[in-house]
Amino acid sequence: MERVVLHSDLNNFYASVECYLNPSLVGHPVAVAGDPEARHGIVLAKNYEAKKCGVKTGEALWEARLKCPGIIFVPPHYDKYIEYSNAVREIYGQYTDMVEPFGLDECWLDVTGSRNLFGDGASIADEIRDRVRRELGVTVSVGVSFNKIFAKLGSDMKKPDATTVIDRAHFKEKVWPLPACDLLYIGRRTGEKLSRFGINTIGDIANASTELLGYLLGKNGIMLHAFANGDDTSPVARFGESQPIKSLSCGHTAPRDLKSEDDIKIMLLTLATKVSSRLRSYGYLCRTVQIQTRSFDLSSYVRRKKLTYPCRTSREIYECALELFKKNHPRGIAVRSMSICVSDLSSCDGEQLSFEPELERIQRRENLECAFDRLRSRHGEGIIKRGLLMTDPTLCQITEKNHPGIMPGMMKMD
């Protein structure tokens, strides 16, 4: 039996919720904006009126105002976005229990087993769109296909409030002429690399040799070749089913440029403390540490290194991150933002004790940090801190909304 997979994408989600909650905004160009005083002054989301003026997500607020002088900036209300996201998923759950979130505003639904009750995939998509619009006041675009990749592609093809079907018989006509960057997991830099070899469309990927794609992109190139040819068999997870975590990360834009070594140490130690705490809460060890830095001129780089032993202590993560920074950062260049990502995760269930001196030291540090976790859980984050972090408290004020948190499974390749 051919699978029927939907991908739903709430249109301009943050901005749409803001306009619904404040009807006076309707008809005006609106952007949900970060806090300029915290140096998060970028466009987080925009409505269609702002989009028509050329406003783009991620650009600075002053750039958006130059393009659209009448634009209205509103602060984000994450609690409301989560509330609406949960309400939409409740609607999805009335059609299938196979609902896999992809961020707050996107979900895959496998409705293969629901067709006898609700009709074909397009009918289910249309009914869901109608209900979301009537019951919640926002709109959703839905792609319908025989796999997750093409369903996602379909939801992007026509917006807002539209259903797009990509079936097996006609996918080459609809999909292959599209730009390569439209395919999930292809970001700007991967698209540029492919373009240098004359691979500009999804059809070009489909018809390229796997040897060339493997040479350019490694195993990801082979994966993209299969996706472009419609060979995606990845399942849609059941609602509430935990997804495997491939990495954990924490990042922050500093309230001021980081110029001294002490500034860098405070930021990296803060990030390492957050990441290590999450590793322990999820029961994982990490083997690879990665840092990303963005300088005052917005140039950036990513560097990673494997640890000698798998661990989940802030000390080891911090020391590795600091070593990466010292080896790679140009002298005298101020830093605007930093992040730490840990990967190559493995479960610590059944972990064997070791008599190696270094592993014994790591184990003692972990026992101490587990005690810190219990104290913070009972008395709050500020109950115990390392002395270094007390020298400049403004640099270590990272709240939960400031970092990306869990980075599971499916991400763009660059």
Side-chain angles (χ1 to χ4, degrees):
M1 179 187 296
E2 182 89 302
R3 284 200 304 164
V4 181
V5 179
L6 312 185
H7 182 271
S8 65
D9 186 356
L10 289 157
N11 304 134
N12 302 327
F13 181 44
Y14 291 4
S16 295
V17 171
E18 295 294 342
C19 289
Y20 182 73
L21 295 175
N22 183 359
S24 66
L25 298 174
V26 175
H28 299 282
V30 174
V32 180
D35 181 3
E37 291 188 6
R39 305 225 304 177
H40 301 145
I42 61 171
V43 174
L44 303 175
K46 75 282 183 190
N47 66 357
Y48 280 101
E49 286 77 9
K51 187 175 181 179
K52 289 176 184 176
C53 297
V55 176
K56 296 180 180 179
T57 300
E59 70 183 359
L61 301 189
W62 64 267
E63 293 178 295
R65 197 176 293 282
L66 282 178
K67 295 177 180 178
C68 186
I71 194 168
I72 301 172
F73 295 125
V74 296
H77 297 92
Y78 295 104
D79 56 335
K80 292 296 182 182
Y81 308 149
I82 293 171
E83 180 183 322
Y84 266 73
S85 179
N86 290 336
V88 172
R89 290 175 193 176
E90 285 185 15
I91 293 176
Y92 299 158
Q94 295 174 34
Y95 296 87
T96 176
D97 64 342
M98 300 177 74
V99 179
E100 180 180 337
F102 190 51
L104 273 182
D105 56 344
E106 300 181 43
C107 284
W108 279 286
L109 296 76
D110 189 325
V111 296
T112 307
S114 306
R115 289 177 293 179
N116 290 337
L117 290 173
F118 302 108
D120 61 17
S123 299
I124 295 173
D126 288 341
E127 187 171 327
I128 286 174
R129 289 194 300 108
D130 181 64
R131 287 191 59 186
V132 170
R133 188 191 323 108
R134 286 188 294 104
E135 297 176 24
L136 299 174
V138 296
T139 62
V140 61
S141 292
V142 185
V144 184
S145 193
F146 55 95
N147 64 47
K148 291 169 70 175
I149 299 298
F150 286 171
K152 163 68 174 167
L153 196 62
S155 69
D156 290 334
M157 289 177 69
K158 190 175 181 182
K159 296 176 181 288
D161 198 13
T163 297
T164 302
V165 178
I166 300 176
D167 58 27
R168 189 180 293 276
H170 303 98
F171 82 84
K172 294 180 182 178
E173 302 164 21
K174 289 188 174 183
V175 171
W176 282 9
L178 297 174
C181 286
D182 284 1
L183 193 64
L184 189 61
Y185 311 130
I186 298 184
R188 178 178 56 83
R189 281 175 285 187
T190 299
E192 291 172 353
K193 180 181 290 187
L194 291 172
S195 183
R196 288 197 293 270
F197 285 80
I199 302 173
N200 298 302
T201 67
I202 296 177
D204 291 338
I205 297 173
N207 293 304
S209 70
T210 53
E211 290 79 9
L212 173 60
L213 292 172
Y215 169 74
L216 293 175
L217 304 173
K219 63 182 181 180
N220 289 323
I222 311 301
M223 176 188 72
L224 292 175
H225 182 270
F227 288 168
N229 281 287
D231 298 329
D232 168 34
T233 59
S234 55
V236 176
R238 294 189 182 279
F239 185 78
E241 190 173 81
S242 61
Q243 298 295 299
I245 298 173
K246 294 190 175 181
S247 62
L248 292 165
S249 68
C250 183
H252 187 57
T253 299
R256 56 177 171 78
D257 286 342
L258 309 178
K259 298 178 180 179
S260 71
E261 183 173 327
D262 282 345
D263 288 346
I264 298 299
K265 287 180 176 179
I266 291 171
M267 180 60 72
L268 288 178
L269 183 55
T270 301
L271 298 175
T273 300
K274 291 280 187 180
V275 169
S276 65
S277 177
R278 291 195 196 113
L279 281 170
R280 292 189 294 276
S281 68
Y282 285 101
Y284 285 109
L285 302 167
C286 73
R287 191 62 186 261
T288 299
V289 175
Q290 171 184 295
I291 66 166
Q292 179 172 7
T293 70
R294 189 176 298 276
S295 301
F296 72 97
D297 60 357
L298 301 186
S299 62
S300 65
Y301 63 85
V302 175
R303 296 292 185 271
R304 62 178 61 87
K305 179 184 176 181
K306 280 192 176 295
L307 297 166
T308 305
Y309 304 103
C311 76
R312 52 181 180 173
T313 60
S314 60
R315 171 80 172 268
E316 276 64 38
I317 295 170
Y318 162 72
E319 289 180 349
C320 182
L322 184 60
E323 178 186 347
L324 285 169
F325 179 84
K326 288 182 174 180
K327 283 185 176 180
N328 294 283
H329 194 75
R331 185 179 297 274
I333 302 298
V335 172
R336 177 183 175 87
S337 64
M338 305 188 79
S339 68
I340 292 179
C341 176
V342 293
S343 57
D344 291 342
L345 306 185
S346 58
S347 172
C348 61
D349 292 341
E351 182 183 356
Q352 297 295 315
L353 297 177
S354 172
F355 293 104
E356 289 187 47
E358 181 58 27
L359 285 176
E360 283 190 276
R361 282 193 290 272
I362 292 174
Q363 185 61 52
R364 287 197 297 270
R365 289 170 190 157
E366 180 178 326
N367 293 340
L368 184 61
E369 292 193 13
C370 286
F372 292 165
D373 290 341
R374 292 191 292 272
L375 281 171
R376 291 176 181 128
S377 175
R378 180 174 297 182
H379 301 290
E381 285 289 320
I383 191 64
I384 187 167
K385 290 184 178 180
R386 294 183 182 272
L388 177 63
L389 303 185
M390 301 295 289
T391 61
D392 192 337
T394 62
L395 291 184
C396 50
Q397 293 176 355
I398 301 178
T399 60
E400 288 300 308
K401 70 179 181 182
N402 292 115
H403 57 72
I406 302 171
M407 304 289 284
M410 310 179 79
M411 300 171 60
K412 285 196 173 183
M413 285 160 51
D414 52 351

